[in-house]
Amino acid sequence: MADPTDLPAAPALPQAPKAPELPPEAPQPPVAEQVAYKRSESLTKLIGALVKAQGVFTSAGKTSDNPFHKSKYADLAAVVAACRPGLVANELSVLQPATSQGARVAVTTILMHSSGEFIESTLHMKAAQDTPQAIGSVITYAR
C-alpha cells in the first residue's frame, strides 16, 4: 500500500464567483406607519359570501356636501346603508375599531364571515394635530 503522503496533491478547485454585494438595507418605517394585514387560513366561505353580497350592494347616494371642493360625496352612513343588506343576507359583518397614540391613528377594518373566516387590514394615518377633533376627523376619513 502506498504512503498517503506520497500521493500527488489534488488540483485546486476553481474559485466560486464572488456574490455581488447587496445594497444596505433600507431603514424600516416606524411601526406606526407599517401596514398590517391578517387573514384566516381559509377564505373559501368568506369569498363565496362576499361574491353574493356584492351582487346585492347598491350605489351609495352622494348626499353630503364638500364645500372645500364644491362637490357632493357619499358619507359613511350612506355607504353602510348601501352595503348592509348584502352583508347581513350573506352572514358577513364589518368591524372598524380605531386606536390612537397621540396624533397617530390606526383604523382596522375586519371583514368576518359567520364561519369564523376573516380578512383584516389596518390603515395608519397621522392627524394634523393631537386634539380630539383632529383625531376624530382622521378616524372618520380612514373608515
Side-chain angles (χ1 to χ4, degrees):
M1 179 181 298
D3 184 355
T5 57
D6 291 338
L7 297 174
L13 295 174
Q15 289 281 26
K18 189 174 181 181
E21 289 190 31
L22 297 174
E25 189 172 321
Q28 295 296 311
V31 173
E33 294 179 9
Q34 291 179 346
V35 176
Y37 172 78
K38 296 178 186 174
R39 57 168 272 192
S40 55
E41 188 173 320
S42 171
L43 295 175
T44 306
K45 293 177 182 172
L46 184 144
I47 290 170
L50 184 57
V51 167
K52 291 176 185 175
Q54 288 177 336
V56 179
F57 292 169
T58 60
S59 295
K62 294 183 179 183
T63 57
S64 295
D65 292 312
N66 182 335
F68 182 75
H69 291 289
K70 297 181 177 129
S71 63
K72 291 198 168 277
Y73 68 96
D75 63 14
L76 182 59
V79 173
V80 170
C83 296
R84 182 171 280 141
L87 293 172
V88 171
N90 290 284
E91 301 181 24
L92 294 166
S93 179
V94 176
L95 291 178
Q96 290 188 303
T99 59
S100 68
Q101 188 173 34
R104 295 204 177 272
V105 175
V107 175
T108 301
T109 300
I110 309 165
L111 177 63
M112 300 173 292
H113 184 258
S114 61
S115 67
E117 295 177 351
F118 71 94
I119 299 173
E120 173 183 316
S121 180
T122 301
L123 174 65
H124 299 269
M125 299 179 76
K126 185 176 179 184
Q129 299 173 340
D130 186 6
T131 64
Q133 293 80 10
I135 291 169
S137 293
V138 169
I139 291 170
T140 300
Y141 189 81
R143 285 184 170 154

